[in-house]
Amino acid sequence: MILIISGTNRPNSKTFKIAKCYQQLLNRKSIENEILSLSDLPPNILETDLYGRRSTAFEPIQQKVSDAEMFIFIAPEYNGSIPGALKLFIDCCTFPISFYHKKVALVGLSSGRYGNIRGIDHLTGICHYLRMHVLPLKIFLPHVQNELDDKGELFKEDTLQFINEQIEEIARF
């Protein structure tokens, strides 16, 4: 099963909309997947789930992570990197079994011109440290606000072509 991580805790984010688009494309290929939105993290996670502690609220999230065979991290740009909520989520997951030797595909997005290229580089380093197998084809979505139509769906042919190419590689990965 592929776990799609919507990498921000911001409610109603474009990141979540992109995660839903990925889910639809995976569903069309009958690839089992689920979305985990970081907006669903326990509000007091900083106090309850770091340094080996585990709250009952985080247990089902940890179970989804443990059960996943592959991840798609969709990470918006926050201050030139990834959101703190995404790093906190990774830090709260049981180490090392949550991510070691699992596969991951990375997608960056931003409202600016680079599509979070720097943040995805940072996230790649984290994934390598966790001994994850990173899909070489990474997607960057600059000016993400121009990529989604009124229904929150991707509509640009070239963007869909690149994402479909990544989905094909995910299926073979």
Side-chain angles (χ1 to χ4, degrees), residues 1-4 19-35 70-72 163-164 166-168 170-171:
M1 191 265 299
I2 296 175
L3 188 60
I4 304 166
K20 293 293 283 179
C21 293
Y22 266 80
Q23 184 175 51
Q24 290 171 359
L25 292 168
L26 291 166
N27 287 343
R28 286 185 197 152
K29 295 200 170 289
S30 299
I31 298 173
E32 184 183 0
N33 69 84
E34 185 175 344
I35 295 175
M70 182 177 185
F71 300 89
I72 300 173
I163 291 174
N164 276 309
Q166 187 189 41
I167 296 286
E168 287 294 328
I170 287 168

Side-chain angles (χ1 to χ4, degrees), residues 76 99-100 135:
F99 301 110
Y100 261 36
L135 183 72

Side-chain angles (χ1 to χ4, degrees), residues 19-150:
K20 293 293 283 179
C21 293
Y22 266 80
Q23 184 175 51
Q24 290 171 359
L25 292 168
L26 291 166
N27 287 343
R28 286 185 197 152
K29 295 200 170 289
S30 299
I31 298 173
E32 184 183 0
N33 69 84
E34 185 175 344
I35 295 175
L36 173 62
S37 174
L38 297 190
S39 63
D40 295 333
L41 292 176
N44 59 343
I45 190 172
L46 196 61
E47 291 89 28
T48 59
D49 290 283
L50 282 173
Y51 316 118
R53 294 177 296 194
R54 179 65 63 231
S55 68
T56 56
F58 195 80
E59 284 177 5
I61 294 168
Q62 178 60 57
Q63 191 61 53
K64 288 179 187 184
V65 170
S66 296
D67 291 344
E69 298 165 1
M70 182 177 185
F71 300 89
I72 300 173
F73 284 126
I74 301 178
E77 180 180 353
Y78 278 33
N79 299 314
S81 189
I82 61 173
L86 179 53
K87 181 63 168 74
L88 178 62
F89 162 73
I90 292 168
D91 290 346
C92 287
C93 290
T94 302
F95 182 83
I97 63 167
S98 295
F99 301 110
Y100 261 36
H101 302 291
K102 292 186 180 182
K103 298 172 182 175
V104 63
L106 302 176
V107 180
L109 56 101
S110 70
S111 58
R113 67 176 8 175
Y114 299 112
N116 197 18
I117 196 165
R118 184 180 295 147
I120 293 300
D121 280 345
H122 293 164
L123 186 53
T124 299
I126 293 166
C127 291
H128 285 162
Y129 180 82
L130 294 173
R131 298 185 189 172
M132 297 182 84
H133 304 285
V134 180
L135 183 72
L137 179 58
K138 300 168 186 169
I139 298 295
F140 303 97
L141 299 172
H143 304 291
V144 69
Q145 66 277 9
N146 300 330
E147 296 285 345
L148 298 164
D149 64 17
D150 294 338

